[in-house]
Amino acid sequence: MSVTTVVLAGVGGQGTILAGDVLAKVAAAAGLDVKLSEVHGMAQRGGSVDTVVRFGEEVFSPVTDAGGADHLVAFELIEAARRLPLLKPGGRLFVNPRTIEPLPVLIGELPPPEGLEAVLAGEGAVFIDADVLACQAGSPKSANIVLLGAVSTGLGFAEELWREVIAARVPSSTLQANLRAFALGREACMRGECA
C-alpha cells in the first residue's frame, strides 16, 4: 500500500488539530503506520494551523512537499489558497466556503481577498458548507467533523471505525452532534457533491 497524505488547513479555533488527531487514530486503528505533524503559529490568535497526516504500511516522514498531498481539507478559503501548492495533480480538495479575514485586512492595511472561490473551483474544489451542516447537526463547533465526514468517503476506512474514534475523542456532551456532523459530511459527498 502506498502512503496517503492528508493536509488539514485552517486557523486557530477551527478544530484543525482535533480533526487531524481523529484521522490519525482511525488510520492507526486500521493497523497502518501513521505520522502526524502540526504547525500552529499564534493559533490562539487566529493564526494558521496546518496538520499533515500520512499513513500506509510504512511511513518515513510526517511532512509533505509541494505536490505531495492526496487530499487537502481547508477549513476556510484563504488557507485553501495558501496550501493549494501542496495538493498533487488530481488530488481531492475540500473547502469550507468561509473567509476568516486576517488582521491586516481587519485593520484596513490590505484589501479583502477577492476571487478565491473561483480560483479554487478552477482547481477542482468541492465546497462543503461545513458551518451550515454543523449547525444542522446541533453544534456550530463541529464543522471540522463535517469536513472529516466529507474526506472520509475517499479514504477507505469503515464508517463504524470513524464513529468509534470520534466517540473516544470528543466530550460526551458533544458526541451526538459530532456523529450527526460526520454523517452530514459523508452524505453531502454521497449525494454527488464530492467529485
Side-chain angles (χ1 to χ4, degrees), residues 72-89:
L72 172 58
V73 182
F75 290 49
E76 64 98 38
L77 290 168
I78 294 173
E79 293 305 318
R82 189 189 321 261
R83 300 299 172 226
L84 190 57
L86 294 175
L87 189 65
K88 67 174 52 172

Side-chain angles (χ1 to χ4, degrees), residues 107-179:
I107 63 175
E109 287 186 1
L110 292 174
E114 294 180 4
L116 291 178
E117 218 167 319
V119 169
L120 295 168
E123 296 294 331
V126 174
F127 295 99
I128 302 290
D129 202 334
D131 294 318
V132 170
L133 294 176
C135 288
Q136 289 175 9
S139 171
K141 293 183 176 180
S142 62
N144 57 344
I145 303 298
V146 170
L147 292 168
L148 269 185
V151 74
S152 75
T153 59
L155 296 179
F157 301 119
E159 183 176 353
E160 187 55 32
L161 183 57
W162 285 97
R163 296 173 64 84
E164 289 172 9
V165 171
I166 291 169
R169 186 60 181 83
V170 303
S172 59
S173 61
T174 66
L175 176 58
Q176 292 309 313
N178 277 297
L179 292 177

Side-chain angles (χ1 to χ4, degrees), residues 127-128 133 146 150 183-194:
F127 295 99
I128 302 290
L133 294 176
V146 170
L184 288 172
R186 286 182 65 88
E187 289 167 12
C189 283
M190 292 176 183
R191 283 194 307 267
E193 295 172 24
C194 299

Side-chain angles (χ1 to χ4, degrees), residues 1-5 27 32-36 52-63:
M1 178 183 186
S2 61
V3 173
T4 298
T5 302
L32 298 175
D33 187 26
V34 181
K35 298 285 188 291
L36 179 146
V52 177
V53 182
R54 305 187 76 219
F55 52 87
E57 287 185 13
E58 191 169 19
V59 181
F60 295 103
S61 172
V63 296

